[in-house]
Amino acid sequence: MGDLYIHGGISHGQSIGYNNGMGIVSPFMPQALLDDIFSRLLALTSFISNRFIQFFEDLIYRDVVGFSEDFVSVSPSQDPGSSISTSCSSSCSSTSKNLVTVLDVHNQETSSLEDCSPSGFEIIERKFFYGGIHFILKGYFRLELTKFFVKSALVLALAPYRISSQCIKRARIRVRSIISRVQITLHGSSTDIGWIQRDPNMDPVEDGSARFLELLNAIRNGEHNLPDSYVYLLIPGLFSNHGPLYFVSTKRFFSKMGLACHIAKIHSEASVEYNSWVLKQYIEELYWGSGKRVMLLGHSKGGVDAAAALSIYWCDLKDKVAGLALVQSPYGGTPIASDIMREGQIADKETRRIMELIVCRIIKGDIKSLEDLTYEKRKQFLSKHKLPKGIPLISFRSEANVGPGVISMMSHIAHVELPKLPFMGPGPDESEYEVGPMVKHRVPVVVPVSAAMAVSALHLQLRYGEKSDGLVTCRDAEVPGSVVVRPDQKLDHAWMVYSSWSKNQTGADACEMCEALLTMLVEIGKRKNSGN
């Protein structure tokens, strides 16, 4: 066996040499890496071979001796060692009879065996054996390294192609995403508008426009038939907290007739479910405080909140509510809210951040108040909560004037109520009146509400081909199972807020229309009760 030389111990970065009878193989020779690996393998096999070499020699020793004698006899340079070979062969043949003797001779008399020709044969045999292994391992490692370098070369050669293909795939995904966003943006709410009328599970509507006009003309001629056996609750719409005169004139108009009228003090920028709970408590307080049933009239989101209260808490309110009138309410949803809050369209995240800044930070409201008016949320809500059967319902919808005169005007003269201060005298366009102990006066203010509603209505008409009041389309405002009122007068979505501000009103104002709607609601209730 060869001798193992370890220079300074085996550690990282140190060299190992192996004496295989042909010289020490140094790791600094060519192909140092392969020889280093091979030397480490031989070092390991040398320890293992010491254990089973005795068994190996016992099995093939006689054949090895015969082969060695033939090999020595044929060797040309054999004169000096012929006698030694003869004496050694006789000694070896005598020792082969006893395995223990052979092992003792092999272990104890190493000096005599070193001069024998069988030892030289062992060296030659082991050279052939380990040389063959070295050749095989070297070829194997060369083959593996060749494969490795070929694979590395292929990977490096194909790297630009792979990178370019990945870039192309990402570019395709990006282009498809952009195209999808553009399609969603352009498609908008075209398939959602009027979905509630296409739903076969929804009840049909009844046209009550003619009867409404009759009642409105009678009211304008001084005939007031609204009974005082009910409590009338007015429910304002979205952003009503920022309009202090919202429904104030209507409440004052009803109070002059001796009717109990209240304005629901709700957080209009809250979600529909939250406001429904607040309205449920409000209705119960009015009922237990007066002993009279409550007539509800909700404008815009207020009608949606009131309908939600009846749908969710009808078991608690069925004996306390006499009817509901929804005025310009987006019962089926509104394309304005859907187009703003729709996910997947262009700049959807940026638009949502802007709306959250306006609604949540500036107005101190809840973004759900706007989300609840989208088509998606309305479909989800109405699939779970439907209005109860048998309750008197009226849905009022209108169209905004989109004429060039309204759009070019870009303003509407409104009046704001301010408290009367001692140093302020009434101006030429101001009027004073008393509200309790406080004296107030009206100040004209230019508000571009009419123009904004006209532009919005024109946008919906050009984009979707739908008539609207500027915010709610006519088809989305018609509640299933209700009596629908379609007035001939052009009214935008803000008419309920500013119609009573102008003194020179040629048509009916919000106060008279609310009275006509509630009078018609009382008639529908009587008709249903008589029918039952």
Side-chain angles (χ1 to χ4, degrees):
M1 296 295 294
D3 297 329
L4 179 66
Y5 295 92
I6 303 176
H7 301 280
I10 300 175
S11 63
H12 182 72
Q14 294 179 345
S15 62
I16 299 177
Y18 177 76
N19 186 359
N20 59 359
M22 299 178 66
I24 299 175
V25 180
S26 174
F28 301 100
M29 296 175 64
Q31 300 179 353
L33 178 62
L34 296 177
D35 292 340
D36 183 61
I37 296 173
F38 172 70
S39 62
R40 292 178 184 270
L41 291 175
L42 291 182
L44 180 62
T45 55
S46 64
F47 288 103
I48 300 174
S49 63
N50 289 332
R51 297 295 182 183
F52 69 89
I53 192 63
Q54 296 177 358
F55 177 75
F56 178 77
E57 288 181 350
D58 184 56
L59 292 177
I60 62 172
Y61 189 77
R62 291 172 183 166
D63 296 334
V64 169
V65 171
F67 178 78
S68 64
E69 291 177 354
D70 297 337
F71 183 80
V72 173
S73 61
V74 208
S75 177
S77 58
Q78 203 173 4
D79 294 335
S82 60
S83 60
I84 299 174
S85 175
T86 306
S87 61
C88 186
S89 61
S90 61
S91 63
C92 289
S93 61
S94 62
T95 55
S96 61
K97 297 178 181 179
N98 192 345
L99 180 60
V100 178
T101 307
V102 172
L103 295 175
D104 293 336
V105 171
H106 182 73
N107 294 329
Q108 297 176 4
E109 299 179 358
T110 56
S111 60
S112 61
L113 289 175
E114 289 177 355
D115 299 331
C116 295
S117 60
S119 295
F121 175 77
E122 287 179 4
I123 293 174
I124 295 173
E125 180 189 42
R126 288 167 186 173
K127 284 183 179 179
F128 284 137
F129 179 73
Y130 292 114
I133 294 177
H134 180 253
F135 178 77
I136 294 173
L137 292 177
K138 184 182 292 186
Y140 174 76
F141 286 123
R142 285 180 178 176
L143 180 60
E144 290 298 322
L145 285 176
T146 303
K147 291 181 179 179
F148 172 74
F149 286 123
V150 171
K151 290 181 180 179
S152 301
L154 290 175
V155 170
L156 292 176
L158 295 177
Y161 171 74
R162 290 181 178 179
I163 294 173
S164 61
S165 62
Q166 291 179 358
C167 293
I168 292 173
K169 288 181 181 179
R170 292 179 180 176
R172 287 178 179 176
I173 294 173
R174 184 64 177 172
V175 170
R176 290 176 183 175
S177 176
I178 294 175
I179 293 175
S180 176
R181 288 180 176 272
V182 171
Q183 290 177 348
I184 292 174
T185 304
L186 295 178
H187 189 266
S189 304
S190 57
T191 58
D192 294 325
I193 298 176
W195 71 271
I196 201 169
Q197 296 179 346
R198 298 189 298 268
D199 191 346
N201 298 323
M202 297 296 178
D203 297 331
V205 297
E206 178 185 351
D207 188 6
S209 303
R211 179 55 184 166
F212 171 78
L213 293 177
E214 293 178 2
L215 294 174
L216 184 61
N217 292 331
I219 290 171
R220 300 200 69 184
N221 292 328
E223 298 181 11
H224 303 284
N225 298 320
L226 199 61
D228 60 354
S229 57
Y230 300 100
V231 176
Y232 301 97
L233 181 62
L234 307 177
I235 307 166
L238 192 64
F239 306 135
S240 61
N241 295 334
H242 305 278
L245 297 183
Y246 197 4
F247 274 137
V248 172
S249 59
T250 305
K251 177 184 177 181
R252 186 182 302 121
F253 181 76
F254 280 26
S255 298
K256 290 180 180 179
M257 295 186 294
L259 303 175
C261 183
H262 300 270
I263 301 175
K265 302 299 180 182
I266 61 174
H267 187 32
S268 61
E269 290 80 34
S271 63
V272 172
E273 291 188 0
Y274 177 80
N275 282 344
S276 65
W277 169 254
V278 175
L279 286 175
K280 182 248 185 187
Q281 295 178 326
Y282 211 102
I283 292 170
E284 289 178 339
E285 290 179 2
L286 292 177
Y287 176 78
W288 294 114
S290 62
K292 301 177 181 179
R293 290 196 298 169
V294 182
M295 282 284 187
L296 305 177
L297 188 146
H299 176 246
S300 188
K301 183 177 178 290
V304 177
D305 294 338
L310 298 182
S311 301
I312 300 174
Y313 307 106
W314 180 242
C315 295
D316 300 326
L317 300 178
K318 61 182 179 180
D319 297 328
K320 304 177 182 65
V321 176
L324 170 62
L326 297 93
V327 181
Q328 297 175 322
S329 296
Y331 187 78
T334 169
I336 301 298
S338 297
D339 293 345
I340 292 175
M341 305 301 296
R342 182 177 291 106
E343 295 182 359
Q345 62 182 355
I346 297 176
D348 54 349
K349 296 181 180 179
E350 292 77 9
T351 304
R352 185 177 181 86
R353 292 195 191 99
I354 294 173
M355 296 309 301
E356 287 178 352
L357 175 64
I358 296 175
V359 177
C360 301
R361 300 295 180 86
I362 299 178
I363 304 179
K364 304 299 181 182
D366 189 357
I367 193 65
K368 291 188 66 177
S369 62
L370 190 61
E371 290 180 345
D372 289 343
L373 301 182
T374 61
Y375 288 110
E376 181 181 0
K377 293 297 183 179
R378 291 305 299 164
K379 290 178 182 179
Q380 294 176 2
F381 183 86
L382 294 179
S383 64
K384 299 178 181 178
H385 309 287
K386 294 183 179 181
L387 282 170
K389 301 287 185 180
I391 183 173
L393 291 174
I394 291 179
S395 54
F396 181 93
R397 57 87 161 171
S398 62
E399 300 176 19
N401 189 0
V402 294
V406 179
I407 299 176
S408 62
M409 182 175 62
M410 292 300 294
S411 63
H412 184 85
I413 303 300
H415 292 79
V416 178
E417 294 180 353
L418 296 177
K420 176 65 177 179
L421 299 178
F423 60 87
M424 294 179 60
D429 296 330
E430 298 177 5
S431 59
E432 297 182 359
Y433 60 95
E434 294 184 2
V435 179
M438 184 179 296
V439 178
K440 292 187 178 183
H441 64 141
R442 291 181 178 180
V443 179
V445 179
V446 177
V447 182
V449 178
S450 299
M453 293 294 104
V455 171
S456 180
L458 181 62
H459 163 72
L460 294 178
Q461 186 172 354
L462 294 176
R463 182 177 184 183
Y464 300 115
E466 294 288 337
K467 296 180 179 180
S468 67
D469 56 15
L471 296 180
V472 183
T473 62
C474 296
R475 292 198 291 169
D476 293 326
E478 297 183 0
V479 181
S482 66
V483 178
V484 180
V485 175
R486 307 179 179 97
D488 297 332
Q489 186 178 351
K490 298 293 183 179
L491 303 173
D492 58 43
H493 195 78
W495 72 275
M496 185 72 75
V497 180
Y498 67 75
S499 64
S500 58
W501 295 352
S502 178
K503 291 182 178 180
N504 301 323
Q505 183 79 25
T506 56
D509 60 3
C511 303
E512 297 169 341
M513 286 195 174
C514 287
E515 182 183 0
L517 289 173
L518 291 174
T519 304
M520 185 176 177
L521 192 61
V522 172
E523 292 182 355
I524 295 173
K526 292 180 179 180
R527 186 177 61 191
K528 289 190 174 183
N529 291 332
S530 62
N532 294 336

